[in-house]
Amino acid sequence: MDKVTDFLPVWIVALPLVMTFVILAVERRSEKLRNVLVVAAAAVTFLSVAALYPHVIGGEIIRLQLFSLLPNLVVSFRVDVLSFSLSLLASFVWLLVTVYSLEYMRHEHGCNRYYPILIATLASCMGVFLAGDFLTLFVFFELMSLISYILVVHEETLEALRAGYKYLILTIIGGLALFFGIIITFELGGSVSLESTPLIREPSPLALLAFLAYLIGFGMKAGMFPLHIWLPDAHPVAPSPASALLSGIMLKTGAYGLLRVIFHVFGSKLLLETGWTMLLSILAIISILLGSAVALTQEDLKRRLAYSSIGQMGYILLGMTVLNERALLGDVFHIFSHAFMKSTLFLAAGAIILQTGKRKIKELAGVGRQMPATMLAFSLAAISMMGIPPLSGFLSKWALSLGALDAGKTYYVVVLLVSSLLNGLYYLPIIISAFFGKTEGEEGHGPARFNEVPPKMLVPVVLLALTTFLFGVLPWNVPFDLSQMTAEFLLRGGF
């Protein structure tokens, strides 16, 4: 691949970071101007990332070194097909969630705190995906983790503060483990840059320790068992747009980090020889089955979605251990699919809770007739989550299954099928009750009235739901094509 120098990656990270302070300066004077600036920051960030598309499709890698801290230790940025794919996904979903927030947060307190934090978290996510070395990635990863704590505790209830405390403790543990892994990598490889791969070429006890440290640091953020315990508490208590970003985007930073570790730090050859990824595959399978099984027992809608995220992230963690092209294609495409599906589900859940005040699943009977567009969007995303063709969730599971069969791991396919069955068991009752269940009002006072949310909330939900359909049937499928390119890129060694 051709390597070029361009300032655009720095702009993509710096813009929302600078806009955070601009929003802080103007928000007390004008709520309207604050809202315009928030949407503008998210929109320009997305368009700036999209402007990188011709470079990535043309096979270029963009890199820029800002300054050197020590010999072979620099602050740098890099855009390859993997970082571009995740940046494009994150900025697109962030824009829609930001628009959704304008109406949703009108009913919440602390908006002057929420919006700057929302944009600052966007900047740190972009920094994670566009980092050119593990030191830069670590700085933005920790920044994202600490800033997003404020989103978790936004409601300031006892439950939110408890969930935030658990999240903060695990974030500190994960950060220390990640830093330890980076130090070992620098010691063994002489660099932590993504330009020279693999960084660790020989197996050793110290190399294994680095692998375990990375597994803890990035696995915690990805919701991997047994480090998942923060997730089912944090997601339900956060505002629904923040829940959509926590599940749809920020969990993916952990998966992104592990992909970089597997293919840039160790390389597929070393990991196949040592079998170290077996530990990750075992934890991924437990995450899939545990998350899906526990989701069945949850009566709170957002808590059920949170446990579902643990299971779905297990798919992504499992796919990256197979180390062949079709499995990696399914793995990266499921990152796209899950972001679209779970963002839709959390935003739809937020709309239902806001309009009806109901968050218990047994209370949702008839909601589909009161809020048909919202519930149809929810249903489309949920059916895609089950892996029903021709939706995007089916495509990713199909590719993952084929990759597992190519590798002779038939039991992976069995795990995926069992999980899909469990997905159906905890999503279908919600859908059936919402559209066909009877409410007390309908029994005695006629049918329930329409009660849809305003367009600022409804349009993002519908657009995200449509992506789960369109990216399953469109012949020109940008996420699928990018996933294919990423799989080939990673198996070439990330260069």
Side-chain angles (χ1 to χ4, degrees):
M1 285 191 170
D2 296 331
K3 295 187 178 181
V4 298
T5 300
D6 196 302
F7 193 74
L8 194 52
V10 178
W11 161 262
I12 291 168
V13 177
L15 171 70
L17 199 57
V18 171
M19 288 302 296
T20 299
F21 295 100
V22 175
I23 292 163
L24 281 169
V26 305
E27 62 186 2
R28 295 191 182 278
R29 301 175 189 175
S30 173
E31 179 182 314
K32 188 174 182 180
L33 180 57
R34 177 201 67 196
N35 293 349
V36 170
L37 291 175
V38 168
V39 174
V44 175
T45 301
F46 168 66
L47 292 174
S48 299
V49 174
L52 294 168
Y53 183 76
H55 297 281
V56 173
I57 292 298
E60 296 177 353
I61 293 179
I62 298 172
R63 58 180 180 175
L64 180 68
Q65 293 187 2
L66 290 187
F67 53 87
S68 178
L69 297 173
L70 293 168
N72 293 327
L73 196 62
V74 299
V75 174
S76 62
F77 292 88
R78 169 188 163 109
V79 181
D80 55 35
V81 64
L82 175 59
S83 56
F84 170 75
S85 298
L86 272 292
S87 300
L88 186 69
L89 170 66
S91 57
F92 173 70
V93 173
W94 220 284
L95 173 59
L96 293 180
V97 170
T98 301
V99 174
Y100 176 98
S101 297
L102 297 180
E103 184 65 31
Y104 182 93
M105 294 304 295
R106 283 202 312 114
H107 308 277
E108 296 280 339
H109 72 286
C111 289
N112 282 347
R113 176 183 63 207
Y114 171 84
Y115 285 113
I117 293 300
L118 185 72
I119 299 304
T121 312
L122 170 60
S124 56
C125 276
M126 292 295 102
V128 170
F129 294 136
L130 298 176
D133 60 275
F134 277 93
L135 178 65
T136 307
L137 190 155
F138 172 76
V139 170
F140 283 108
F141 191 83
E142 289 302 288
L143 184 64
M144 176 198 69
S145 299
L146 293 173
I147 293 175
S148 58
Y149 163 80
I150 302 174
L151 295 177
V152 173
V153 301
H154 178 85
E155 300 289 349
E156 298 178 45
T157 60
L158 182 60
E159 292 81 6
L161 293 173
R162 283 175 175 169
Y165 180 74
K166 186 184 292 186
Y167 171 75
L168 198 58
I169 293 298
L170 283 165
T171 289
I172 293 169
I173 293 171
L176 291 172
L178 181 55
F179 190 60
F180 186 55
I182 293 170
I183 290 174
I184 296 175
T185 302
F186 188 79
E187 172 65 21
L188 295 179
S191 172
V192 289
S193 172
L194 297 178
E195 296 295 331
S196 53
T197 59
L199 293 166
I200 298 176
R201 300 174 184 271
E202 299 293 335
S204 68
L206 204 55
L208 176 58
L209 199 57
F211 181 78
L212 295 175
Y214 283 123
L215 206 57
I216 294 170
F218 288 124
M220 187 284 296
K221 186 60 68 182
M224 180 188 73
F225 173 88
L227 304 167
H228 68 286
I229 55 174
W230 65 273
L231 194 154
D233 292 333
H235 288 200
V237 299
S240 290
S243 298
L245 293 175
L246 282 166
S247 183
I249 301 302
M250 280 182 263
L251 289 182
K252 309 306 184 297
T253 60
Y256 171 81
L258 285 173
L259 281 171
R260 290 296 190 192
V261 167
I262 289 171
F263 291 99
H264 283 82
V265 175
F266 296 97
S268 56
K269 182 181 177 182
L270 175 61
L271 292 177
L272 285 170
E273 289 174 356
T274 59
W276 291 347
T277 53
M278 181 58 68
L279 175 59
L280 177 56
S281 65
I282 291 170
L283 296 176
I285 289 172
I286 296 174
S287 298
I288 292 170
L289 298 178
L290 178 73
S292 301
V294 178
L296 273 169
T297 68
Q298 302 304 307
E299 291 301 317
D300 182 273
L301 178 57
K302 288 181 69 176
R303 196 169 177 85
R304 181 171 291 192
L305 295 179
Y307 271 105
S308 170
S309 291
I310 296 170
Q312 294 293 320
M313 286 303 297
Y315 291 0
I316 296 169
L317 298 175
L318 188 65
M320 65 180 66
T321 68
V322 180
L323 301 176
N324 64 40
E325 188 173 322
R326 286 207 278 196
L328 284 172
L329 163 62
D331 188 66
V332 178
F333 189 64
H334 199 68
I335 291 176
F336 278 99
S337 295
H338 182 255
F340 295 139
M341 295 183 295
K342 194 50 61 74
S343 298
T344 303
L345 291 168
F346 268 115
L347 294 185
I352 291 167
I353 294 167
L354 184 65
Q355 288 297 90
T356 67
K358 301 173 181 177
R359 56 185 303 146
K360 297 293 184 183
I361 291 169
K362 63 183 179 182
E363 300 172 345
L364 299 181
V367 167
R369 295 189 296 279
Q370 297 174 44
M371 305 175 68
T374 299
M375 203 59 215
L376 281 171
F378 183 98
S379 302
L380 193 62
I383 292 170
S384 180
M385 198 79 78
M386 298 173 211
I388 304 298
L391 303 176
S392 63
F394 166 76
L395 272 183
S396 56
K397 290 185 181 183
W398 177 262
L400 282 169
S401 299
L402 291 177
L405 292 174
D406 289 343
K409 300 180 185 294
T410 309
Y411 58 97
Y412 283 11
V413 182
V414 175
V415 170
L416 295 177
L417 290 173
V418 171
S419 176
S420 292
L421 174 62
L422 292 172
N423 288 344
L425 290 177
Y426 62 74
Y427 278 125
L428 285 176
I430 300 174
I431 298 170
I432 292 169
S433 175
F435 286 108
F436 302 106
K438 296 292 184 182
T439 64
E440 293 181 8
E442 287 179 310
E443 290 173 2
H445 304 92
R449 289 188 239 170
F450 288 113
N451 191 28
E452 281 291 3
V453 289
K456 285 179 185 176
M457 289 177 65
L458 186 59
V459 171
V461 174
V462 171
L463 285 177
L464 282 168
L466 285 175
T467 60
T468 66
F469 172 74
L470 294 176
F471 293 137
V473 300
L474 283 179
W476 185 62
N477 191 332
V478 174
F480 193 84
D481 293 341
L482 288 172
S483 301
Q484 179 73 59
M485 289 180 62
T486 301
E488 296 170 357
F489 168 78
L490 291 174
L491 288 173
R492 285 200 307 269
F495 55 86

